[in-house]
Structure formats: structure tokens, C-alpha cells
Amino acid sequence: MKIIEEIGQVKAEVQIARSKGRRIALVPTMGALHAGHVELIREARRRSDTVILSIFVNPTQFAPGEDFDSYPRTLETDIKACRAEGVDIIFTPIATELYPAGFSTIIDVGEIGRRLCGASRPGHFSGVATIVLKLLNITEPDLAIFGKKDFQQLSIIEQMVRDLNKGVEVVGVETVRELDGLAMSSRNSYLNEAERSCASALPRALGAASELFNSGVRDSSSVVAAARKVLDAESLIDVEYIKICEVRSLEELETIDKKAVLALAVKLPGARLIDNVELY
Ligand code: PAF
């Protein structure tokens, strides 16, 4: 396994792999790897010959006052996990090489980036789309793998790839959950014991919503209300949004008559958490 910092060097490695006819997969991450990331790597391994995993805590997707400085950085254990899973190249770019002085281009993905989390995190998805496009341009993979926990991020990347004719296959991988159903996230480490125990309400809320949907209810407000009831019972949880949207555009649906996702974001004192369930 190679650990590469420089853009030129990773491009050279990509060229060598290509010349050998290898199929290349990119797994973009911000590090602090957990079992969810391991699933992304395994999917990449299954579908390709050369797996590149990038680790970069991307400053342009954090707003001032967000957790850029405190975001967990665990490079040594990340390297061990990558080695164990057979990653071929870890790409840990240097911020000043990715964003040199004078850098000014930003990708605006339009309305889809302003919905759901985009409403409370203005500019976040522009930052995500810009770094992902840069990583795709640098590594030119055949496929790029993302977790479905960040459902909006996945939809936005699919939109950008379609709109800009990137010609990379975008693959979404199912969310990996803790024993109580809480979605794996690097930010779960911010929760204290009481908050962690409350956080199990998120998967329960999704479960209550799915159950109602599966019983035949198609009115979004009733399905949302079922999820909200579970979350409102937890005093440490402050609901930011619970919405049912069409899976591709993320346009809100009053009636669930298309492939849909129920997405939610909540705030606990220690962390903001998101989760979702597909309804179809
Ligand atoms: O999901 C993440 O970890 C990040 O948003 C990503 C896709 C690596 C871009 O920085």
C-alpha cells in the first residue's frame, strides 16, 4: 500500500494502473474511518482492481464555527484499517496544494444543494461538490463510492456527475449501523453517554416512519409525524428537520407517490446528526 501526498505522484500511479488495464475505484473520506468506511472499501474492492482512498478534512465544506478544528484526525489507525482491507493507495493531499493562494472556483449544484441540510449549512454542498470534483479529476476513477448515510451528498454528487458529463460511475453503499441502529458516523464520538443513549431514537424514528409507510400510508405529513413523535420524546434531541423527498431531485413530496427518502437532522448538545430511510 502506498501513502501519497502529492497530486503529481498520485496521477503518475493512476497512469501506471491504467496502462495495466486496471479498473480504478475512489473512496473519498475525511478519515476517522469506522465500519461504515470499511464497507465502502469492500465495495470498492469487489468492483475494481485498484482502490484509492483519499483522506482530507476539507475546509471548504465547514462553515465558520463548525467543527473543522475538532474533527477527529486518526491517520495512524486509518492507515492500519486501509492496510487490513487491501487499499492500494491512500491519498492524503496537502491543503495548500489543493487550495493554493488565489484558488477561486466553486461548484454550485443549484437548488438540490439548498434543500434539507443545505438550508442550515449554506455553502456546505458547494464545498463538498468542489472537493469531490477535484478528487475525481486528480484520480480519474472508473467508479467512486459514497455512503447512503449522507443521502443528500450522494444525490448531489450524482447530479454533478450527470450535469458535468464526468463519466464516472457513482456507487451508493448502505448505511452501517451500531447494535442499537445508530448510523455509524465519525461525529458519534462527540456524544457523551446520555446523548449516545438518546441517539438511538433516530433509528427508532426511521423505523416508526417506515412501518407506517409499509402499512400503506402515503401521506407525507402522517409519516413525518410518526418519526417526530419518537424524537420529541427525547429531551436532549432538538429536531432540525424531518422531510420526505423524491430520491433524485430531493424535492419535497406531499404524497409519497414516487421513490422517496425520509431524511432527518437533529441537534444534540454535543453533535448534529443526520440519518435517512428510503421509502419504496
Ligand atoms: O463524506 C465525506 O466524508 C466528505 O463529505 C467527502 C465526500 C469526503 C468530501 O469531503
Side-chain angles (χ1 to χ4, degrees):
M1 185 177 76
K2 295 196 167 141
I3 303 171
I4 300 178
E5 286 189 346
E6 279 165 25
I7 293 172
Q9 214 181 325
V10 85
K11 282 188 167 202
E13 288 295 333
V14 166
Q15 239 175 13
I16 294 169
R18 283 243 167 277
S19 68
K20 293 181 180 159
R22 299 227 164 112
R23 194 169 151 76
I24 299 170
L26 173 68
V27 183
T29 81
M30 299 205 297
L33 303 183
H34 50 64
H37 295 110
V38 168
E39 275 312 308
L40 303 185
I41 298 170
R42 290 185 181 165
E43 190 64 28
R45 267 269 64 101
R46 277 192 286 273
R47 288 170 177 256
S48 71
D49 311 302
T50 298
V51 176
I52 306 176
L53 180 132
S54 63
I55 299 180
F56 181 63
V57 184
N58 172 40
T60 66
Q61 69 189 73
F62 291 81
E66 286 189 352
D67 56 343
F68 175 71
D69 290 330
S70 56
Y71 197 85
R73 287 160 172 88
T74 58
L75 188 58
E76 286 313 310
T77 47
D78 291 350
I79 290 172
K80 278 190 196 134
C82 287
R83 196 163 273 135
E85 293 300 326
V87 167
D88 298 286
I89 299 171
I90 301 183
F91 178 40
T92 55
I94 305 157
T96 50
E97 199 189 4
L98 274 182
Y99 297 117
F103 181 92
S104 74
T105 303
I106 207 84
I107 302 294
D108 181 351
V109 288
E111 201 48 45
I112 190 172
R114 290 185 271 279
R115 300 197 160 114
L116 304 176
C117 292
S120 64
R121 303 187 74 192
H124 168 67
F125 289 113
S126 280
V128 169
T130 305
I131 189 66
V132 170
L133 183 60
K134 281 168 72 64
L135 292 168
L136 292 175
N137 287 342
I138 291 166
T139 59
E140 293 179 88
D142 297 285
L143 55 142
I145 318 256
F146 299 87
K148 285 193 180 180
K149 201 215 84 181
D150 297 302
F151 199 90
Q152 185 173 14
Q153 169 171 284
L154 177 62
S155 300
I156 281 170
I157 290 161
E158 285 169 342
Q159 171 93 41
M160 175 182 75
V161 163
R162 273 197 309 276
D163 289 351
L164 300 182
N165 308 94
K166 268 310 285 175
V168 60
E169 186 188 345
V170 176
V171 177
V173 171
E174 290 308 322
T175 302
V176 178
R177 296 179 179 280
E178 305 274 2
L179 278 180
D180 66 350
L182 180 65
M184 298 259 180
S185 162
S186 307
R187 289 188 169 101
N188 291 349
S189 64
Y190 298 158
L191 302 174
N192 67 25
E193 215 175 304
E195 291 165 357
R196 174 62 190 83
S197 133
C198 260
S200 67
L202 270 73
R204 280 192 281 115
L206 298 179
S210 305
E211 204 175 305
L212 203 57
F213 172 76
N214 290 335
S215 76
V217 175
R218 292 292 177 269
D219 161 47
S220 290
S221 58
S222 309
V223 176
V224 165
R228 182 172 284 277
K229 191 172 163 205
V230 176
L231 296 174
D232 283 349
E234 302 292 338
S235 59
L236 291 175
I237 290 182
D238 192 6
V239 176
E240 186 181 297
Y241 68 76
I242 308 172
K243 286 187 175 168
I244 295 179
C245 303
E246 191 274 320
V247 281
R248 193 163 142 137
S249 65
L250 298 184
E251 230 170 287
E252 221 177 320
L253 294 175
E254 266 178 45
T255 304
I256 313 168
D257 53 4
K258 301 184 176 104
K259 269 188 163 189
V261 59
L262 181 146
L264 59 80
V266 304
K267 279 194 180 130
L268 286 102
R272 178 180 180 278
L273 301 179
I274 58 171
D275 204 346
N276 66 80
V277 63
E278 288 169 83
L279 302 174
Y280 49 84

